[in-house]
Amino acid sequence: VQLQASGGGLVQAGGSLRLSCAATGRIFSINDMGWYRQTPGKQRELVAEITRGGMTNYADSVKDRFVISRDNAKNTVYLQMDSLKPEDTAVYYCKAVVRATALRSSEYGLWGPGTQVTVSS
């Protein structure tokens, strides 16, 4: 199973970007999905997460600016980022909790390779 993210890039402050992350391979189901970000010298931090049923959780720094959503049929999670700020500049990683079979014991966490988001002032 692989996660492939896309949608990063360079944008001016106040602009928008939409990240996508699709899971492919042997998948029975995907539970929680989320986006994290990391800057040099800092720990990776949660940006937003969403359960299979659609419940969401956001970091305080992105509330009211970012929206996470998912398409369960496509095993894909999205992050709509509006009103971007220079401090949002980071490498963004998607994460998925994948279940390979119907057995709970087959569940594991998977990280995508990361996509760079740069917001210029």
Side-chain angles (χ1 to χ4, degrees):
V1 179
Q2 295 184 19
L3 295 178
Q4 185 63 46
S6 61
L10 173 64
V11 65
Q12 288 188 333
S16 299
L17 285 174
R18 188 185 193 219
L19 305 183
S20 300
C21 178
T24 59
R26 183 187 177 194
I27 299 168
F28 176 77
S29 67
I30 299 180
N31 293 327
D32 294 355
M33 302 185 82
W35 290 96
Y36 293 72
R37 65 188 181 187
Q38 189 171 22
T39 55
K42 293 189 176 181
Q43 286 189 330
R44 193 171 297 184
E45 63 176 5
L46 174 71
V47 176
E49 58 188 349
I50 184 169
T51 67
R52 182 171 181 81
M55 292 182 64
T56 59
N57 179 47
Y58 295 91
D60 288 343
S61 59
V62 306
K63 281 181 181 177
D64 301 323
R65 298 190 298 121
F66 292 8
V67 177
I68 189 170
S69 61
R70 64 188 287 172
D71 184 331
N72 290 333
K74 296 181 179 180
N75 292 326
T76 299
V77 62
Y78 306 96
L79 186 68
Q80 178 65 42
M81 304 185 293
D82 297 324
S83 302
L84 282 161
K85 304 176 180 180
E87 50 263 44
D88 294 317
T89 296
V91 177
Y92 283 70
Y93 298 89
C94 60
K95 182 181 179 182
V97 178
V98 178
R99 191 174 291 188
T101 71
L103 297 176
R104 186 179 178 87
S105 60
S106 71
E107 195 169 274
Y108 61 96
L110 184 66
W111 289 95
T115 183
Q116 177 71 44
V117 171
T118 302
V119 185
S120 63
S121 58

